[in-house]
Amino acid sequence: FLGFTAYYKKNFYRGKILYVAVSREFRGKGYGQELTTYAIKDLFSRGCKVISLETRINNTKARQLYKKLGFKEDRIDRGEFVYYSITKE
């Protein structure tokens, strides 16, 4: 098992990335970025204008990746989760 992503189209203009997971032995090799980029491109190609996701506040590697890919931090919920979104230009 290398990794996986799960995402869906919430409505006509909004997409949601639920999971991006990479096995420990494959981390740091760009697979998380590849999976996330694939999900973003696929959702935008299906007509989404905004894609959202969330992660735990202590998941610093994921947070760095999402910012690198252009996601903007929307809010922090009770100090546990960080919510992000990206808008199609």
Side-chain angles (χ1 to χ4, degrees):
F1 172 75
L2 189 145
F4 76 97
T5 186
Y7 58 93
Y8 68 101
K9 193 171 174 180
K10 286 179 77 166
N11 59 39
F12 196 71
Y13 292 108
R14 297 188 67 84
K16 173 89 174 185
I17 298 176
L18 296 172
Y19 304 105
V20 177
V22 177
S23 292
R24 289 192 193 281
E25 64 266 28
F26 295 106
R27 291 181 187 166
K29 299 179 188 322
Y31 294 116
Q33 180 171 337
E34 197 169 326
L35 288 167
T36 307
T37 300
Y38 179 87
I40 293 166
K41 286 181 180 178
D42 190 41
L43 287 167
F44 282 157
S45 76
R46 294 171 185 264
C48 292
K49 303 294 182 201
V50 178
I51 300 169
S52 60
L53 58 81
E54 65 261 356
T55 191
R56 292 198 178 272
I57 198 165
N58 63 352
N59 191 347
T60 55
K61 293 287 187 184
R63 293 177 68 189
Q64 289 171 353
L65 171 63
Y66 301 144
K67 287 179 184 177
K68 177 180 176 181
L69 294 176
F71 281 88
K72 304 296 182 215
E73 188 176 302
D74 294 327
R75 65 185 171 95
I76 296 176
D77 180 21
R78 298 174 305 208
E80 272 188 71
F81 292 93
V82 182
Y83 294 82
Y84 291 94
S85 64
I86 188 170
T87 304
K88 186 174 185 179
E89 297 176 1

